Amino acid sequence: MHKKLKTHSSNFAERVRSVVAKIPKGSVMTYAGVAKKAGYPGAARAVGTLMAHNFDPKIPCHRVIRSDGKIGEYNRGGPAKKRALLIKEGALKK
């Protein structure tokens, strides 16, 4: 049973990373939107946790924001760095 849980967990992570990898420059998606698109509606917090531990530069986790429109945290430099990246990409205005 433990092995089945691990497979489910890995599948979740793979699907979330796949969705986030496809968010184009200049766009953002909410944690809830990523969860829903990955096939796990209601798993927004789990998406946030996964993104908090993402250090793969191919997965643009800075493009995932909170449902209330706030940008949220960023594990590679904090919210100021996340905001700067989103401004640079055209997803936010100064």
Side-chain angles (χ1 to χ4, degrees), residues 17-55:
R17 287 185 191 111
S18 176
V19 169
V20 175
K22 294 174 185 165
I23 302 171
K25 268 186 182 178
S27 297
V28 294
M29 185 178 271
T30 65
Y31 294 102
V34 169
K36 185 175 181 180
K37 191 160 188 167
Y40 296 90
R45 285 181 184 241
V47 170
T49 299
L50 184 63
M51 293 297 95
H53 295 94
N54 173 60
F55 290 95

Side-chain angles (χ1 to χ4, degrees), residues 2-93:
H2 180 68
K3 188 173 184 176
K4 189 174 185 179
L5 179 61
K6 185 176 180 183
T7 302
H8 177 73
S9 176
S10 296
N11 188 42
F12 171 78
E14 289 171 19
R15 291 176 74 172
V16 167
R17 287 185 191 111
S18 176
V19 169
V20 175
K22 294 174 185 165
I23 302 171
K25 268 186 182 178
S27 297
V28 294
M29 185 178 271
T30 65
Y31 294 102
V34 169
K36 185 175 181 180
K37 191 160 188 167
Y40 296 90
R45 285 181 184 241
V47 170
T49 299
L50 184 63
M51 293 297 95
H53 295 94
N54 173 60
F55 290 95
D56 182 349
K58 295 176 186 173
I59 309 300
C61 55
H62 65 281
R63 296 181 188 149
V64 185
I65 64 169
R66 294 170 30 159
S67 294
D68 64 5
K70 294 180 182 176
I71 63 167
E73 293 295 324
Y74 184 52
N75 66 350
R76 294 183 235 166
K81 176 69 174 182
K82 185 174 185 175
R83 179 176 298 286
L85 286 169
L86 292 173
I87 289 170
K88 182 179 178 182
E89 293 181 354
L92 291 179
K93 294 183 181 184

